[in-house]
Each structure stands twice: as structure tokens, then as C-alpha cells.
Amino acid sequence: EGHHCFPETRDGTLKVEVYGDFLPKRIFGRFYAFCAYLRMCWVAWRLVLQSLTSPYDVIIVDQVSICLPILRLARPKGIIFYCHYPDY
């Protein structure tokens, strides 16, 4: 979402990889939370698989906590859960 991100992610300063873009954000205009859970779980599993070859020191999670048990399988030194209020 180019309009809802930090400038460093738009201008190429930070490398951004998108996973799960094929998963819907809504189904028939509804089920937004369910789709967010599904997307986060997909990304968490991708990170677990990537951690087998490139381990993570710290993983930062924002808003959706359902993926935390999955992320523990990546065996990072720490997981930071930052739950800020969504800004629409």
C-alpha cells in the first residue's frame, strides 16, 4: 500500500518483500479480520521456513497477534508485539 507506508519503503532505502499478496483483504466486502488473520499466519509460516536458512534475531509484530505461536517456531531471540491502534 504505497499511500500507507514509510517513505523509506517507497524510495528503496529499505528492501521490502511482499508475501501473501494473493490472499484477499476482504471477502464480499466482509470478513476483514478473518482475512488479516489468514494473511498473518501465511507470512508467519513463510518466516519460519526462511529462518531455517537465515535465522532471525528479533521479529516485530504489529496489531495481529494470532501469528505469535507460529513465529516462536522460528526460534528468534525475541518477539516484540507492538499493538498500536489502527489509523484508518
Side-chain angles (χ1 to χ4, degrees):
E1 295 182 31
H3 66 282
H4 193 76
C5 62
F6 293 110
E8 295 84 3
T9 60
R10 283 191 303 261
D11 66 16
T13 303
L14 294 174
K15 180 182 174 189
V16 176
E17 293 184 36
V18 178
Y19 297 112
D21 203 31
F22 64 93
L23 295 168
K25 292 183 182 179
R26 288 188 166 85
I27 300 172
F28 301 118
R30 305 186 77 175
F31 305 110
Y32 182 76
F34 172 76
C35 290
Y37 295 158
L38 183 64
R39 291 168 70 93
M40 281 300 291
C41 287
W42 173 258
V43 170
W45 281 112
R46 289 294 308 251
L47 290 174
V48 168
L49 292 175
Q50 283 183 342
S51 73
L52 298 174
T53 57
S54 299
Y56 297 101
D57 292 326
V58 176
I59 297 174
I60 300 172
V61 179
D62 187 17
Q63 287 187 332
V64 182
S65 63
I66 196 167
C67 63
L68 294 176
I70 298 170
L71 289 173
R72 291 189 68 204
L73 297 173
R75 307 184 70 79
K77 293 182 176 100
I79 297 176
I80 298 171
F81 179 62
Y82 172 70
C83 184
H84 79 277
Y85 189 76
D87 48 351
Y88 295 100

